Amino acid sequence: AVVSTQSTGSKKDFLALNVYVALCYYKLDYYDVSQEVLAVYLQHFPDSTVAINLKACNHFRLYNGKAAEAELKNLSDLCSPSFKFAADLIKHNLVVFRGGESALQVLPPLIDVIPEARLNLVIYYLRQEDIQEAYNLFKDISPTTPQEYILKGVVNASLGQEQGLNDHIKIAQQYFQLVGGSASECDTIPGRQCMASCYFLLKQFEDVLIYLNSIKSYFYNEDPFNYNCGQAKAATGNYKEAEEIFLMIQSEKLKSDYVYLGWLARCYIMNRKPRLAWELYLKQETSSESFSLLQLIANDCYKMGQFYYSAKAFDVLERLDPNPEYWEGKRGACIGLFQQIIAGHEPRETLREVLAILRNTGNAQVEYIIRIMKKWAKDNRVTVS
C-alpha cells in the first residue's frame, strides 16, 4: 500500500505533527502505535486525505484488505473528481488491498505517477510466478529504499533459483546483506528476514535459524515462514521439529511442491516413520518429481536401516529404469531385511514379500539369493509359498 506524504499545511497546536509521527511508526512496522497517534489528528480533522489513507494502510497491515478497503471508501466519498492524485492513490491502494486484483489494468499507467506502483506490479508478477517479467520491469531501477533493495534481492534470488544462474543468487545475497546489515534495518523484522535470506542462499542454516527464531513470534501461522524455517531445521538435522513445522503448513500449493514433499519425506524417515514417507509417494502421479521422491525414499531408508521400504522403493525404481544401481540397492535392502527377519526385528511373514520383490528382477543372482532365503524358511518352519 502507498502512504501519501503530501503536506496538509500548518494546523493549530502542531496537530499535523501527529500525522508525521504516525507515518514514522508505520515505516517502522509499529502499525498499532501509528494508529493510536493518528487517532489524535483524526479527531480534529476527520476528512484529511493523508490521515484517512494512512489509517487504511494501517488497517491493511493490522487486519486485512477488507478492513482497509472500508476505510478507503471514506476517502473516496470525500474526494472531489478534480483531486486526481487522491483518485490515483485510491485506485492503486485498492489493487493492493484486493490482493492484486486488476493489477495489470490499473498499475502500469501509474508507474510514473506513484513510485510504489512499479514495486507492486513487480510483486504481482512474482506472485503469478512470472519471474522474468518481474525482473524485466525492475532490472534498470537503482534501489534507494530498503523496500527496493529487498525486492531486488527477491527478484534476483527467484530468477537465479528458477534458471540456475549463480550470478543472480550472489547479487541477491548482496542486496539482502546490505539491508540486514545496515544500522537502520538490522533490528527490524524485514532486516532480520533479509539476513535469514542471505544465509539461506549461502546454505548456512545455523545462522538462518538464529535470525528466524528472533522473529518467529510474528509469523507463527504464516506458511512461507514455516516453509523456510522447516527447511532450515531439517538441514541442521533437527528433523523432529522440522516435521512439526512442515505439518503446520496449510497452503495446498506449497504442500504439492517437490521441495516440500522431499523434505517432509526425509523428516519422516529420519524420525523412523518410513511408512508415512512411502504414502507420500503413493499419492503422487507419475512424473520426474515422483521419480526423484522415490530415489530419496530408497536411499534415505537404506541409510537408516529401514530396509522394507527401501526394498519397495528400489523395486519400483528398477521397474521404471533398468539401471544396475537400482538392482544393487534392492539386493542390499532385501538382504538387510532378511537379516532383520532372522534377528527378530521384522515379522517372519515379511519374507514372502521379500521373495516377491526379488522375483521382479531377471538378474542371475536372484535365484541364488532366493534359494538361501527359502532354505532358512524351511529350517525355521516359515511358510513362504
Side-chain angles (χ1 to χ4, degrees):
V2 175
V3 180
S4 171
T5 56
Q6 287 193 344
S7 174
T8 55
S10 298
K11 300 292 180 183
K12 188 170 66 174
D13 298 327
F14 301 102
L15 278 169
L17 285 175
N18 285 284
V19 178
Y20 293 103
V21 172
L23 177 63
C24 290
Y25 279 119
Y26 178 91
K27 294 286 189 182
L28 291 169
D29 301 334
Y30 293 119
Y31 308 114
D32 49 350
V33 180
S34 173
Q35 201 73 328
E36 289 174 15
V37 174
L38 192 64
V40 176
Y41 182 81
L42 281 168
Q43 284 177 355
H44 294 82
F45 305 100
D47 57 351
S48 164
T49 301
V50 174
I52 293 172
N53 181 60
L54 179 53
K55 185 179 179 183
C57 293
N58 277 326
H59 276 227
F60 178 62
R61 299 295 186 179
L62 288 168
Y63 310 115
N64 52 46
K66 284 190 176 180
E69 195 173 335
E71 292 299 325
L72 210 58
K73 187 178 185 305
N74 297 329
L75 180 57
S76 181
D77 293 342
L78 288 168
C79 288
S80 65
S82 59
F83 194 0
K84 190 169 187 318
F85 178 78
D88 288 339
L89 192 67
I90 291 167
K91 284 195 295 184
H92 173 277
N93 283 2
L94 278 176
V95 170
V96 178
F97 297 160
R98 291 171 179 172
E101 182 182 312
S102 303
L104 294 179
Q105 291 74 39
V106 174
L107 297 183
L110 298 179
I111 283 176
D112 296 323
V113 179
I114 298 173
E116 289 84 353
R118 182 185 297 272
L119 304 186
N120 284 309
L121 189 53
V122 170
I123 292 169
Y124 172 81
Y125 283 131
L126 287 173
R127 286 177 175 167
Q128 300 301 309
E129 298 185 356
D130 193 344
I131 311 299
Q132 190 64 55
E133 198 61 43
Y135 176 75
N136 292 342
L137 186 63
F138 214 32
K139 66 180 178 181
D140 297 324
I141 303 299
S142 297
T144 56
T145 66
Q147 290 78 14
E148 290 173 349
Y149 276 102
I150 292 169
L151 199 52
K152 274 275 192 179
V154 172
V155 170
N156 277 281
S158 300
L159 189 68
Q161 290 175 328
E162 182 183 67
Q163 300 184 11
L165 303 171
N166 286 331
D167 286 348
H168 286 283
I169 298 289
K170 288 177 182 176
I171 291 168
Q173 288 167 208
Q174 291 165 1
Y175 281 132
F176 289 139
Q177 194 161 22
L178 274 170
V179 176
S182 67
S184 63
E185 299 297 317
C186 63
D187 289 326
T188 66
I189 293 171
R192 294 188 178 195
Q193 285 177 300
C194 281
M195 288 309 297
S197 298
C198 174
Y199 285 123
F200 202 103
L201 294 174
L202 290 168
K203 296 182 168 54
Q204 297 177 17
F205 295 107
E206 294 282 1
D207 294 316
V208 170
L209 288 172
I210 290 171
Y211 285 96
L212 292 184
N213 286 335
S214 73
I215 56 174
K216 67 180 179 182
S217 60
Y218 298 95
F219 298 98
Y220 181 74
N221 285 320
E222 291 205 11
D223 285 345
F225 181 86
N226 286 332
Y227 188 50
N228 290 330
C229 192
Q231 289 180 72
K233 291 276 187 185
T236 54
N238 192 343
Y239 295 107
K240 185 176 183 297
E241 283 189 37
E243 179 188 331
E244 292 169 0
I245 292 169
F246 281 131
L247 293 176
M248 289 169 61
I249 292 172
Q250 300 296 313
S251 164
E252 292 301 325
K253 183 179 178 183
L254 284 178
K255 286 161 72 174
S256 63
D257 183 75
Y258 170 69
V259 174
Y260 172 88
L261 292 169
W263 276 118
L264 182 57
R266 176 159 288 169
C267 289
Y268 282 147
I269 293 164
M270 298 302 168
N271 293 332
R272 302 205 168 274
K273 303 173 186 176
R275 180 180 60 82
L276 296 178
W278 182 249
E279 288 175 358
L280 275 183
Y281 162 71
L282 293 178
K283 291 174 185 174
Q284 306 307 306
E285 295 181 4
T286 303
S287 67
S288 60
E289 290 186 345
S290 68
F291 189 82
S292 297
L293 183 61
L294 200 55
Q295 289 176 311
L296 183 149
I297 293 169
N299 289 301
D300 278 12
C301 282
Y302 196 101
K303 289 174 190 172
M304 292 297 292
Q306 296 160 2
F307 296 120
Y308 175 70
Y309 287 101
S310 178
K312 286 170 75 74
F314 274 123
D315 182 44
V316 178
L317 285 169
E318 188 189 28
R319 281 184 277 160
L320 292 171
D321 177 9
N323 186 323
E325 289 184 4
Y326 298 141
W327 155 243
E328 290 168 9
K330 184 167 85 168
R331 179 187 61 194
C334 286
I335 292 171
L337 184 53
F338 181 47
Q339 290 174 326
Q340 290 175 336
I341 292 168
I342 292 171
H345 298 148
E346 287 285 346
R348 291 185 167 196
E349 296 76 20
T350 310
L351 187 58
R352 187 181 303 167
E353 195 168 350
V354 175
L355 293 171
I357 289 172
L358 285 168
R359 288 191 181 107
N360 288 332
T361 302
N363 192 289
Q365 299 172 12
V366 169
E367 288 307 317
Y368 174 70
I369 298 170
I370 288 177
R371 198 159 54 244
I372 292 172
M373 290 181 177
K374 278 188 164 183
K375 184 179 184 305
W376 179 87
K378 183 179 179 182
D379 293 345
N380 290 273
R381 298 177 183 177
V382 177
T383 306
V384 293
S385 58

